[in-house]
Amino acid sequence: DTEVTQTPKHLVMGMTNKKSLKCEQHMGHRAMYWYKQKAKKPPELMFVYSYEKLSINESVPSRFSPECPNSSLLNLHLHALQPEDSALYLCASSPLTSGITDTQYFGPGTRLTVL
Amino acid sequence: GENVEQHPSTLSVQEGDSAVIKCTYSDSASNYFPWYKQELGKRPQLIIDIRSNVGEKKDQRIAVTLNKTAKHFSLHITETQPEDSAVYFCAARNTGNQFYFGTGTSLTVIP
């Protein structure tokens, strides 16, 4: 399996809802990432997990809560979002090998709309 | 932190011509530089990458060059085809395993 998968593909939620995005990979990668991408903009790093531990939080509001239950799974829990949080949320993974080689692969993304 | 600049923001070429996209980075410790192609509504797809110990890499019609001294790297696409039309992003990875992306180049190949 050489793919990163994400569910759901699309999500519409109200500002008072609680929802979760899921990401899964079975490539044995030990680094997993969440990115937010607005239309016609580059992916913007949100969180990095290395060996199932949160290693980087790019000053993301607390209404986004990441979770890494095991080395294959990554969740993003959403609560009390704002309309401006509507975007494509991309998950990615990379091998996190020693040295300088570390190719990153992206999942297909979840298109989130906050009403 | 790392700052990656990418130029041009839009590029139109005739089919069969070459396209060149350039990126500069600020953190001299960055050591890995991937290029992604993203079609509308799709995920970014890795098309080529280069490590900091290599100056050039080629894969069929696509090549990437890296100048560590000047801190810039470039994507070269030869014999462009309409299916090359997409948004291209460069990125730089620092020693903290953070990837920073350029602002993107929208490439249009005119048949």
Side-chain angles (χ1 to χ4, degrees):
Chain A
D1 190 346
T2 58
E3 204 175 60
V4 178
T5 59
Q6 288 186 246
T7 55
K9 288 186 178 179
H10 302 275
L11 179 62
V12 179
M13 60 187 291
M15 289 190 285
T16 58
N17 292 157
K18 285 186 180 180
K19 297 286 184 183
S20 296
L21 310 184
K22 297 185 184 301
C23 173
E24 192 166 0
Q25 57 87 14
H26 295 286
M27 295 180 279
H29 290 177
R30 302 308 299 275
M32 295 186 77
Y33 310 77
W34 280 115
Y35 288 88
K36 174 183 177 180
Q37 187 178 27
K38 292 280 214 179
K40 301 187 178 182
K41 296 290 186 182
E44 182 183 335
L45 185 63
M46 299 175 72
F47 303 104
V48 182
Y49 273 83
S50 303
Y51 299 106
E52 297 92 68
K53 293 191 187 318
L54 183 64
S55 57
I56 295 168
N57 175 342
E58 291 282 2
S59 302
V60 180
S62 60
R63 57 186 184 268
F64 295 92
S65 175
E67 178 196 19
C68 189
N70 59 55
S71 60
S72 300
L73 294 174
L74 185 67
N75 299 321
L76 185 63
H77 302 298
L78 314 173
H79 174 56
L81 294 193
Q82 304 296 310
E84 58 264 31
D85 296 322
S86 299
L88 180 67
Y89 287 82
L90 292 161
C91 173
S93 70
S94 66
L96 198 58
T97 54
S98 60
I100 62 172
T101 60
D102 213 356
T103 302
Q104 183 179 75
Y105 296 96
F106 283 89
T110 293
R111 177 77 57 189
L112 174 67
T113 303
V114 182
L115 301 177
Chain B
E2 176 66 277
N3 180 44
V4 180
E5 295 189 358
Q6 183 172 347
H7 299 281
S9 57
T10 60
L11 179 60
S12 291
V13 299
Q14 290 291 135
E15 182 177 357
D17 286 351
S18 295
V20 180
I21 303 170
K22 299 183 178 183
C23 288
T24 60
Y25 61 99
S26 60
D27 187 351
S28 56
S30 288
N31 55 23
Y32 170 66
F33 307 92
W35 285 89
Y36 290 90
K37 174 184 180 182
Q38 189 174 27
E39 296 176 22
L40 192 63
K42 302 266 183 86
R43 76 186 83 187
Q45 294 270 16
L46 180 74
I47 56 171
I48 197 166
D49 56 14
I50 191 165
R51 276 70 179 182
S52 58
N53 60 346
V54 176
E56 184 173 358
K57 183 177 177 180
K58 188 173 181 180
D59 182 5
Q60 299 183 350
R61 298 187 296 109
I62 296 173
V64 56
T65 58
L66 171 66
N67 183 327
K68 283 178 59 178
T69 303
K71 290 189 279 189
H72 67 69
F73 56 113
S74 299
L75 177 71
H76 305 253
I77 306 174
T78 58
E79 301 171 26
T80 54
Q81 300 165 4
E83 50 265 38
D84 293 329
S85 297
V87 178
Y88 291 80
F89 292 103
C90 64
R93 189 199 71 157
N94 65 12
T95 52
N97 202 34
Q98 292 163 280
F99 286 79
Y100 293 92
F101 284 76
T103 48
T105 296
S106 178
L107 174 65
T108 302
V109 180
I110 303 164

